[in-house]
Amino acid sequence: MEYPSNHKQIVKELLDGKFILNTNVSLFKTLDENIDDYKSYFASSFGYELVKKSEFFYLVSDESNETLSRNIIILLAVLCYELDQDQKNFREQIRYPLSVYDIENYLMRTNTAYSEILREVKIMPEIEKFLKQLAKRNIVEFVSEKQIKFTPVVELFFDYAKELAEKKSEDLALQLSDNDNK
């Protein structure tokens, strides 16, 4: 089988946990044009599912034990909460660059419970290090040394958080129903 010229880069980036954005035209186009081949390749070679969204590609594995997704959702939840307290809509705010300083201030002003969680999952006090990790995976991009912008990938985490909340609500409703039937 003959692979596209940028095959190694595509495989390396996806296996490194990066999202391939449509702004990386050559990689995105290669994946898009060869989607069936790449889906088969990742499934048979690694047991991973290649997922395509309108603006990016990524891999999914049932065997993952990474905590980055959880930490991103925690970061987003706290930022959403704090921006909401200032009557700002986070989903609108993420279209524009946010300063690392502002993000740090929003996270540090939270109440004790949130502050403790952020320290526990190693988001704070090393927010710049955490944001650089997100940039490495194409979840945010630095528009300057101290400003970031979320990429369209952030929508995946909003969807994931929504699924978790719905599942939790269903579980709670089922539990309440079981208790009523006893």
Side-chain angles (χ1 to χ4, degrees), residues 67 70-72 74-75 114-124 130 133:
T67 57
R70 176 204 64 195
N71 292 354
I72 292 168
I74 291 169
L75 170 77
Y114 288 142
S115 299
E116 187 60 35
I117 291 169
L118 293 170
R119 278 191 290 281
E120 181 84 20
V121 299
K122 308 273 192 278
I123 292 174
M124 295 306 286
F130 183 71
Q133 184 181 16

Side-chain angles (χ1 to χ4, degrees), residues 7 10 15 38 43 54 63 66 69 80-82 90-91 95-96 99 104 119 124 137 140 145 151 154-155 158 179:
H7 173 74
I10 289 170
L15 290 177
Y38 274 104
S54 61
E63 299 174 15
E66 59 94 17
S69 295
C80 284
Y81 175 81
E82 289 300 327
F90 182 71
R91 290 187 95 156
R95 294 182 190 148
Y96 306 104
S99 83
E104 194 169 24
R119 278 191 290 281
M124 295 306 286
R137 294 179 182 235
V140 300
E145 188 177 319
T151 69
V154 75
E155 291 299 327
F158 281 124
N179 288 342

Side-chain angles (χ1 to χ4, degrees), residues 143-180:
V143 293
S144 73
E145 188 177 319
K146 291 290 186 179
Q147 280 193 319
I148 61 135
K149 183 172 103 175
F150 284 90
T151 69
V153 172
V154 75
E155 291 299 327
L156 179 70
F157 294 97
F158 281 124
D159 291 345
Y160 181 62
K162 183 179 174 184
E163 286 175 27
L164 286 176
E166 288 170 354
K167 171 100 172 81
K168 191 73 171 170
S169 293
E170 289 170 9
D171 290 348
L172 183 60
L174 185 61
Q175 218 175 20
L176 291 173
S177 173
D178 286 346
N179 288 342
D180 288 345

